[in-house]
Amino acid sequence: MREHGRPWQRSNEQTAWENPWLAIRTYDAVAPTGAPAHYGMAHMKNRAIAILPLHEDGTVTLVGQNRFVFADYSWELPEGGGPLDEEPLEAARRELREECGLEAAQWEKVLEAQLSNSVTDEMAFGFLATGLTAAQSAPDETEDLAIARVPFGEALEAAAAGHIKDMLTVAMLLRLHHMAVKGVLSGGLAQLVLG
């Protein structure tokens, strides 16, 4: 595949609204077609971080919580925000410990993605965590979390059936399954994923 066309041109950046987590920016722009446009973007002040904790018995740890935006309950992998000046792996280590009370001996970055590149500049980083041991959890003061360990295949089926809707969770489960099928997971991890 090759790139084509001209890139977007930006001018007159203004911040319309801002809080500690994001800023809404507006631009006067010229589209790749040459048409003038007024464009808005959500600038995220954190990276999205997701962790797939894979235990030696082939289970994964999921976190259940009520989410604000869709006013629903969500089962998902441990995830959170990593400040832009924090290395994604360090953010992943912190989130796994805080949310699940787990530490991992082995880490592997398995996903880097643009979450919604038409309206936000948020980048996501996903890590596989193995060699898990218990640690002290410390959830955020707004987090009321439930923790569950389920077989990897059960979590994957729930995502494929639409019961798990969190995009980072869906992407991470599919990515790890794909890696297992392609034989690029180290050691016996593929066997744990494929059952």
Side-chain angles (χ1 to χ4, degrees):
M1 295 182 286
R2 64 177 182 84
E3 296 180 14
H4 77 283
R6 298 178 291 192
W8 281 84
Q9 297 174 20
R10 302 178 185 192
S11 64
N12 195 26
E13 177 184 314
Q14 295 183 358
T15 299
W17 182 84
E18 187 169 13
N19 73 13
W21 301 278
L22 66 97
I24 304 299
R25 295 178 177 165
T26 61
Y27 301 86
D28 291 328
V30 177
T33 61
H38 190 69
Y39 212 95
M41 176 183 75
H43 165 67
M44 306 308 287
K45 297 181 180 182
N46 290 291
R47 295 180 183 100
I49 305 293
I51 306 100
L52 197 156
L54 182 62
H55 297 268
E56 292 177 359
D57 62 357
T59 60
V60 297
T61 296
L62 296 176
V63 175
Q65 63 185 308
N66 285 288
R67 285 293 195 178
F68 180 85
V69 173
F70 287 103
D72 65 355
Y73 196 84
S74 178
W75 281 103
E76 55 201 49
L77 292 172
E79 57 189 49
L84 298 178
D85 62 355
E86 181 180 29
E87 286 297 318
L89 178 57
E90 290 311 307
R93 289 182 197 276
R94 178 180 42 74
E95 287 293 335
L96 182 63
R97 187 174 47 256
E98 287 176 1
E99 290 194 358
C100 300
L102 293 172
E103 290 184 351
Q106 294 87 33
W107 290 88
E108 181 180 355
K109 184 173 84 169
V110 295
L111 183 74
E112 186 173 332
Q114 300 170 349
L115 284 184
S116 184
N117 65 12
S118 66
V119 294
T120 177
D121 64 357
E122 188 173 21
M123 288 294 298
F125 294 85
F127 295 89
L128 170 63
T130 56
L132 301 166
T133 55
Q136 181 63 43
S137 65
D140 183 272
E141 65 182 17
T142 63
E143 293 177 321
D144 181 15
L145 306 175
I147 306 295
R149 276 178 63 174
V150 301
F152 180 90
E154 186 178 313
L156 182 63
E157 284 300 319
H163 303 302
I164 292 178
K165 296 179 180 164
D166 173 70
M167 185 46 63
L168 274 178
T169 301
V170 172
M172 287 288 289
L173 291 167
L174 290 172
R175 174 70 177 134
L176 206 65
H177 183 263
H178 181 261
M179 290 174 71
V181 168
K182 291 294 185 182
V184 294
L185 283 178
S186 60
L189 295 179
Q191 235 177 344
L192 294 177
V193 168
L194 298 174

